[in-house]
Amino acid sequence: MKRSGSISQENYLKAIFKLQHEHGIASNQAIAEKLAATPAAVTGMLHKLTELDWIDYTAYQGAKLTAKGRQIATSTIRKHRLWEVFLVEKLQFKWDAVHQWAEELEHIGDANFTNRLDAFLGCPSTDPHGDPIPDSNGDWKGNERVFSADALTRKQKFTVRGVSNSASDFLRHLDALKIQLGKHFEVMDFFPFDGSWEWKDDQGIPIRVSREVAGQLLVEAIPTNRGNENQES
Ligand SMILES: [Zn+2]
């Protein structure tokens, strides 16, 4: 079995999936912005996707995925995130350099091909940016303990779990600060004047973190009574 839709159709389904997740429905305007497409092109594609029974579309409101559309969208996202893991872990790409390749690789192969890639990689649960990877049924377990770093409190110890912005320039900035997924920090101080933070890593090295950076980092608190400090889930 080849892929279900054209590259363009799969990109629309992916965009609708993400917008529907955030807003309950994907409006024409939001789709146009996300895909840098004209309103006329979006309307044309939405009619096509409706004919294929991949979306339910209501004029002036927007689109929602059908079960079939959701399955294609999540399988495209699954491939995208698995390829990002492959590129970082097996080809030693940096985490800021994989998204564009994954945008192309997500459109090749069938479910069997993808499942083999998944098995080869050891069935990872998250991509290099901390985003969850859907399983072959399109389901995934999000980490509900993850929250934005700007909600941390003083003396809190935490683990960096993901980024809510995976733009290359932001990821390179995190590299410069030596902030990586899985790394532990402790909050030393917060400066209300400019919303910046001082954190200390587990080597005791302090870093200054701006409000902008903290607002785009996802973290998980480490319980203070934690028994085994080396246990990494
Ligand atoms: Zn990506």
Side-chain angles (χ1 to χ4, degrees), residues 16 130 138 155 176 181 198:
I16 294 166
K155 296 293 156 200
L181 300 196
E198 187 182 297

Side-chain angles (χ1 to χ4, degrees), residues 182-199:
K183 193 163 169 178
H184 303 310
F185 289 94
E186 180 178 352
V187 178
M188 303 310 289
D189 215 344
F190 174 69
F191 304 95
F193 177 72
D194 63 355
S196 67
W197 303 78
E198 187 182 297
W199 297 348

Side-chain angles (χ1 to χ4, degrees), residues 7-45:
I7 290 175
S8 172
Q9 287 166 350
E10 289 181 349
N11 285 337
Y12 269 78
L13 294 175
K14 218 169 48 147
I16 294 166
F17 178 86
K18 290 176 182 173
L19 290 166
Q20 192 179 333
H21 184 71
E22 287 165 28
H23 308 292
I25 192 163
S27 72
N28 296 41
Q29 193 192 339
I31 297 168
E33 280 168 17
K34 205 169 185 74
L35 296 175
T38 64
V42 171
T43 305
M45 178 61 94

Side-chain angles (χ1 to χ4, degrees), residues 81-134:
R81 293 181 178 169
L82 285 170
W83 279 117
E84 288 193 339
V85 174
F86 178 86
L87 292 167
V88 167
E89 289 191 359
K90 305 298 179 187
L91 301 188
Q92 279 76 49
F93 277 88
K94 306 265 266 176
W95 67 338
D96 62 287
V98 295
H99 179 77
Q100 281 314 313
W101 295 117
E103 283 289 292
E104 299 191 34
L105 292 163
E106 71 185 17
H107 301 294
I108 62 167
D110 62 4
N112 181 41
F113 178 86
T114 309
N115 291 343
R116 284 196 187 209
L117 175 64
D118 183 43
F120 174 69
L121 294 170
C123 305
S125 58
T126 56
D127 77 8
H129 310 120
D131 290 319
I133 298 174

Side-chain angles (χ1 to χ4, degrees), residues 107-219:
H107 301 294
I108 62 167
D110 62 4
N112 181 41
F113 178 86
T114 309
N115 291 343
R116 284 196 187 209
L117 175 64
D118 183 43
F120 174 69
L121 294 170
C123 305
S125 58
T126 56
D127 77 8
H129 310 120
D131 290 319
I133 298 174
D135 65 21
S136 52
N137 298 316
D139 299 322
W140 65 72
K141 287 195 279 296
N143 183 345
E144 276 147 24
R145 290 168 302 181
V146 162
F147 57 93
S148 175
D150 53 12
L152 285 162
T153 52
R154 279 196 183 84
K155 296 293 156 200
Q156 179 71 65
K157 291 184 177 171
F158 63 94
T159 308
V160 177
R161 288 297 185 208
V163 290
S164 51
N165 167 12
S166 45
S168 300
D169 55 353
F170 178 58
L171 298 175
R172 282 195 295 272
H173 186 62
L174 294 182
D175 285 338
L177 290 171
K178 298 193 166 57
I179 294 176
Q180 294 124 11
L181 300 196
K183 193 163 169 178
H184 303 310
F185 289 94
E186 180 178 352
V187 178
M188 303 310 289
D189 215 344
F190 174 69
F191 304 95
F193 177 72
D194 63 355
S196 67
W197 303 78
E198 187 182 297
W199 297 348
K200 184 180 76 175
D201 71 12
D202 47 13
Q203 309 294 321
I205 298 166
I207 54 168
R208 217 31 198 273
V209 178
S210 69
R211 183 204 305 263
E212 287 77 9
V213 168
Q216 299 177 90
L217 268 187
L218 301 172
V219 300

